[in-house]
């Protein structure tokens, strides 16, 4: 058979197959038929670039996958130590060294800017001496004043009001009482005005702003349910439930209510929680220093019941000292093993270093 | 190379790819035509066959670390993935049209798949001009006239190249039902 004829016959059969998928030549020579079987299979031949393209795709995906720990644990060369730097297999995409270098430079520049601006700012600031609040160790001492106080008496009064006396500051203490304290004033224009006082040792307390019973929780103005005069539920001319011109239960004047002084079988309270006071802004600005002396009554529960400034230094430091000591907690003083209220003196020192 | 050496090599390749996924390329080269032939035989459409083949190898790469060597050829694992992928496609297609599920069969390295895989692989090894004619004729479905114009040859010369290429392939590929020599 002529070769050209065979070529032609084969091509015609292929053309027919391509035109009509699945059709095969009805009358083909055996040799042509075998070639047509091959040709038929070749219709599903993949595109020439498909295999290479898929291989590239898989390489990219594989490059994004980290090595297993076993591989990482091998003795490391440079590429294993920094796989992202050397473009080994790490991260989402194959590493470009130029990108890494640019990132490194940007980070270095950012670091220089941050450090440089920090140093520059530090140099621009005027030399500031750090203000430190130094709270002197508190001195819970047997005050001379406290030593003069005896829990022998108190006072109280009232004008038979339905309400008890409201909360407020004690009147100024004095050796003699001319005018008993009142909250509800019956005579607004007395012929001879005299400052109301109670009979008690002078603790150099400041002028009271709102007169009342410091132990009361009421706010409604009242002179109290007691009789005679004064404030409270007692029958004297003082403040409280007692029967004298002083303060608290008991009679005869002074500070009643079983507030003891340290000594004579009464132990000193021990501070167990003493947050430091803050330095007031104005005192800090003026570099003002000083020691505030406070007078306090520490109750059987270890809390500060009464708190007064005994020695003021001003500049807002008194308030800061009061604010702090009010939060302090004590292991209460005891007498015969039982906790009792005691009067103490506290020193709070403010110093700048 | 003995069969034992082939198995041992394949196991080493798999372990290497499990530790370093970039070594997966060698497993891909060894199995591409087999997987493609398996899928092409089932779906009958080149574009879909290529699409599924890509999906199969991506899945294989993702799960290569889960592969446990049990003495079964790696190709069997790949063909299992391929069979599942084809089945998934057909199940999705079945929602919109009827599909004959009878053609879904258990995957296996049968002779027909091996014969086609070998045929596709041999095309890559044909002489350049014969390969070009085969690709233009059967992949791009160009006419002899178009191919002749592209190659700057006569139509007769192109027909002769086509004949020789097919003859070349036929002589190397076992006939259907014959013993297949697995390509490597």
């Amino acid at each position: 058979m002529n070769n050209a004829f065979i070529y032609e016959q084969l091509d015609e059969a292929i053309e027919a197959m391509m035109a009509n998928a699945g059709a095969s030549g009805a009358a083909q020579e055996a040799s042509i038929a075998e070639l047509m079987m091959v040709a038929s299979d070749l219709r599903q031949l993949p595109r020439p670039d498909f295999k290479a393209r898929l291989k590239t795709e898989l390489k990219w995906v594989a490059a994004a996958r980290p090595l297993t720990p076993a591989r990482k644990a091998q003795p490391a060369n440079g590429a294993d130590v920094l796989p992202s730097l050397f473009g080994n297999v790490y991260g989402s995409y194959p590493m470009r060294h130029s990108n890494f270098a640019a990132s490194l430079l940007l980070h270095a520049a950012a670091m220089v800017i941050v450090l440089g601006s920090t140093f520059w700012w530090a140099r621009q600031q005027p030399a500031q001496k750090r203000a430190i609040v130094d709270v002197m160790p508190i001195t819970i001492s047997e005050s001379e004043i406290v030593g003069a106080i005896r829990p022998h008496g108190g006072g109280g009064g009232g004008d038979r009001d339905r309400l008890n006396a409201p909360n407020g500051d004690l009147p100024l203490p004095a050796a003699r009482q001319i005018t008993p304290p009142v909250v509800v004033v019956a005579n607004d224009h007395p012929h001879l005005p005299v400052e109301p006082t109670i009979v008690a040792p002078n603790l150099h307390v400041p002028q009271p702003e709102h007169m009342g019973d410091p132990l009361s929780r009421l706010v409604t103005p009242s002179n109290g349910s007691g009789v005679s005069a004064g404030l409270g539920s007692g029958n004297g001319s003082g403040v409280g439930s007692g029967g004298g011109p002083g303060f608290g239960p008991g009679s005869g004047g002074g500070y009643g209510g079983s507030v003891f002084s340290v000594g004579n079988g009464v132990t000193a309270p021990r501070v167990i929680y003493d947050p430091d006071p803050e330095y007031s802004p104005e005192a800090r600005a003026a570099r003002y220093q000083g020691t505030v002396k406070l007078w306090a009554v520490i109750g059987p529960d270890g809390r500060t019941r009464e708190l007064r400034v005994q020695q003021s230094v001003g500049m807002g430091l008194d308030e800061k000292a009061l604010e702090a000591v009010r939060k302090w907690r004590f292991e209460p003083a005891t007498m015969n093993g039982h906790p009792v209220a005691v009067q103490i003196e506290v020193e709070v020192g403010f110093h700048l270093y | 190379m003995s069969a034992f050496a082939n198995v041992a090599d394949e196991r080493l390749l798999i372990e290497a790819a499990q530790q370093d996924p970039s070594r997966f390329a060698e497993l891909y080269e060894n199995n591409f035509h087999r997987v493609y032939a398996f899928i092409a035989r089932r779906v009958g459409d080149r574009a879909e066959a290529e699409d599924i083949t890509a999906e199969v190898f991506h899945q294989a790469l993702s799960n290569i670390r889960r592969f446990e060597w049990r003495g079964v050829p790696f190709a069997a694992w790949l063909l299992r993935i391929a069979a599942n992928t084809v089945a998934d496609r057909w199940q999705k297609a079945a929602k919109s049209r009827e599909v004959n599920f009878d053609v879904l069969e258990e995957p296996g390295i049968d002779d027909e798949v091996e014969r086609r895989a070998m045929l596709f692989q041999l095309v890559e090894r044909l002489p350049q001009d014969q390969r070009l004619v085969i690709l233009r004729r059967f992949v791009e479905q160009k006419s002899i006239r178009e191919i002749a114009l592209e190659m700057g040859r006569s139509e007769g010369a192109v027909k002769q190249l086509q004949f020789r290429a097919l003859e070349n392939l036929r002589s190397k590929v076992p006939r259907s039902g014959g013993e297949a020599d697995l390509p490597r």
Side-chain angles (χ1 to χ4, degrees):
Chain A
M1 188 185 293
N2 188 340
N3 284 342
F5 178 73
I6 294 176
Y7 304 155
E8 191 66 36
Q9 193 180 5
L10 175 64
D11 189 59
E12 282 177 5
I14 291 172
E15 194 67 40
M17 178 190 72
M18 303 286 274
N20 185 13
S24 57
Q28 292 170 347
E29 288 190 19
S31 58
I32 298 294
E34 285 185 7
L35 293 179
M36 283 305 295
M37 287 181 64
V38 174
S40 175
D41 289 340
L42 287 176
R43 286 181 302 171
Q44 291 183 338
L45 189 66
R47 286 173 295 168
D49 61 336
F50 170 67
K51 183 183 169 188
R53 200 156 35 82
L54 179 56
K55 187 177 181 180
T56 307
E57 250 181 60
L58 292 168
K59 275 186 178 177
W60 278 75
V61 173
R65 291 179 174 276
L67 300 177
T68 59
R71 168 71 181 260
K72 285 180 180 173
Q74 288 175 355
N77 53 26
D80 290 330
V81 172
L82 288 171
S84 57
L85 175 61
F86 292 93
N88 204 352
V89 280
Y90 198 76
S92 300
Y93 299 98
M95 182 60 199
R96 289 185 182 175
H97 292 189
S98 57
N99 290 353
F100 190 93
S103 171
L104 188 67
L105 285 174
L106 281 174
H107 280 82
M111 193 74 85
V112 167
I113 289 171
V114 168
L115 290 176
S117 59
T118 304
F119 282 118
W120 176 85
W121 181 82
R123 289 193 173 197
Q124 294 300 312
Q125 294 301 310
Q128 285 185 339
K129 198 171 181 182
R130 192 177 172 195
I132 299 174
V133 177
D134 171 51
V135 181
M136 294 289 287
I138 66 160
T139 53
I140 304 176
S141 60
E142 293 187 49
S143 166
E144 294 173 2
I145 301 168
V146 173
I149 300 172
R150 292 288 178 265
H152 64 273
D159 60 358
R160 299 178 186 277
D161 199 311
R162 290 180 180 176
L163 297 174
N164 278 327
N167 180 272
D169 300 327
L170 279 177
L172 290 172
R176 272 197 319 159
Q177 184 186 54
I178 298 173
T179 304
V182 288
V183 173
V184 180
V185 181
N187 182 6
D188 287 338
H189 303 288
H191 292 294
L192 185 60
V194 177
E195 190 74 25
T197 56
I198 58 172
V199 176
N202 188 358
L203 296 173
H204 306 289
V205 295
Q207 188 72 25
E209 293 181 10
H210 304 287
M211 203 173 293
D213 182 351
L215 301 180
S216 173
R217 293 183 177 180
L218 302 179
V219 293
T220 308
S222 168
N223 288 334
S225 56
V227 296
S228 299
L231 299 173
S233 55
N235 57 1
S237 58
V239 176
S241 58
F247 167 62
S251 60
Y255 297 94
S258 300
V259 177
F260 295 87
S261 60
V262 178
N264 297 326
V266 178
T267 65
R270 189 170 65 84
V271 67
I272 54 176
Y273 174 65
D274 56 343
D276 290 344
E278 295 175 3
Y279 222 100
S280 64
E282 56 268 39
R284 187 195 302 273
R287 305 193 55 72
Y288 188 77
Q289 306 180 72
T291 299
V292 180
K293 284 187 180 178
L294 303 176
W295 172 85
V297 174
I298 308 303
D301 58 355
R303 293 171 181 269
T304 307
R305 238 165 54 180
E306 279 284 308
L307 195 59
R308 301 273 174 85
V309 176
Q310 190 173 332
Q311 179 179 304
S312 168
V313 294
M315 283 280 187
L317 295 179
D318 299 347
E319 289 74 13
K320 293 294 182 185
L322 287 169
E323 185 182 317
V325 176
R326 195 167 285 123
K327 297 175 186 170
W328 288 8
R329 294 291 179 268
F330 295 82
E331 189 178 288
T334 58
M335 186 173 71
N336 298 326
H338 299 287
V340 292
V342 291
Q343 304 170 79
I344 62 168
E345 184 181 84
V346 179
E347 289 184 357
V348 181
F350 291 85
H351 299 283
L352 289 172
Y353 295 96
Chain B
M1 187 180 287
S2 68
F4 178 80
N6 280 338
V7 168
D9 284 350
E10 186 172 70
R11 185 172 186 177
L12 288 175
L13 282 176
I14 293 167
E15 287 174 356
Q18 286 176 328
Q19 291 182 354
D20 180 358
S22 67
R23 301 290 301 275
F24 186 76
E26 293 167 66
L27 291 168
Y28 170 79
E29 283 289 346
N30 289 348
N31 292 282
F32 170 80
H33 288 293
R34 187 175 289 127
V35 171
Y36 178 82
F38 175 86
I39 295 167
R41 187 181 175 211
R42 279 159 175 74
V43 299
D45 176 74
R46 179 185 294 113
E48 192 172 4
E50 289 180 353
D51 196 20
I52 296 175
T53 302
E55 190 175 337
V56 167
F57 278 105
H58 276 287
Q59 282 189 37
L61 176 60
S62 299
N63 298 290
I64 183 69
R65 285 176 186 155
R66 296 184 192 170
F67 179 82
E68 290 180 16
W69 178 262
R70 292 172 181 168
V72 179
F74 187 66
W77 186 62
L78 289 174
L79 295 187
R80 165 59 66 185
I81 297 175
N84 290 339
T85 309
V86 171
D88 286 347
R89 292 251 177 156
W90 285 11
Q91 280 178 352
K92 285 177 187 172
K95 291 177 182 174
S96 56
R97 59 187 166 89
E98 287 191 6
V99 169
N100 181 10
F101 285 93
D102 294 339
V103 296
L104 286 175
E105 55 196 56
E106 279 298 305
I109 309 175
D110 59 41
D111 291 347
E112 185 56 28
V113 168
E114 286 304 317
R115 196 183 67 77
R116 287 195 184 196
M118 189 176 185
L119 175 65
F120 296 155
Q121 195 167 0
L122 285 172
V123 170
E124 294 177 357
R125 298 176 189 171
L126 285 173
Q128 179 64 26
D129 49 358
Q130 292 181 22
R131 180 168 178 267
L132 185 64
V133 170
I134 293 297
L135 293 175
R136 295 290 184 272
R137 193 82 171 106
F138 294 99
V139 176
E140 299 177 14
Q141 299 187 356
K142 287 185 174 179
S143 66
I144 293 293
R145 179 188 296 272
E146 289 171 322
I147 299 170
L149 282 173
E150 181 186 339
M151 295 178 72
R153 294 194 180 187
S154 67
E155 291 185 26
V158 173
K159 287 176 182 173
Q160 185 183 20
L161 284 171
Q162 179 179 255
F163 175 82
R164 287 182 178 170
L166 291 175
E167 184 60 32
N168 204 345
L169 293 170
R170 186 197 60 78
S171 66
K172 292 175 183 171
V173 176
R175 294 175 185 177
S176 196
E179 189 179 342
D181 183 16
L182 298 182
R184 281 285 172 189

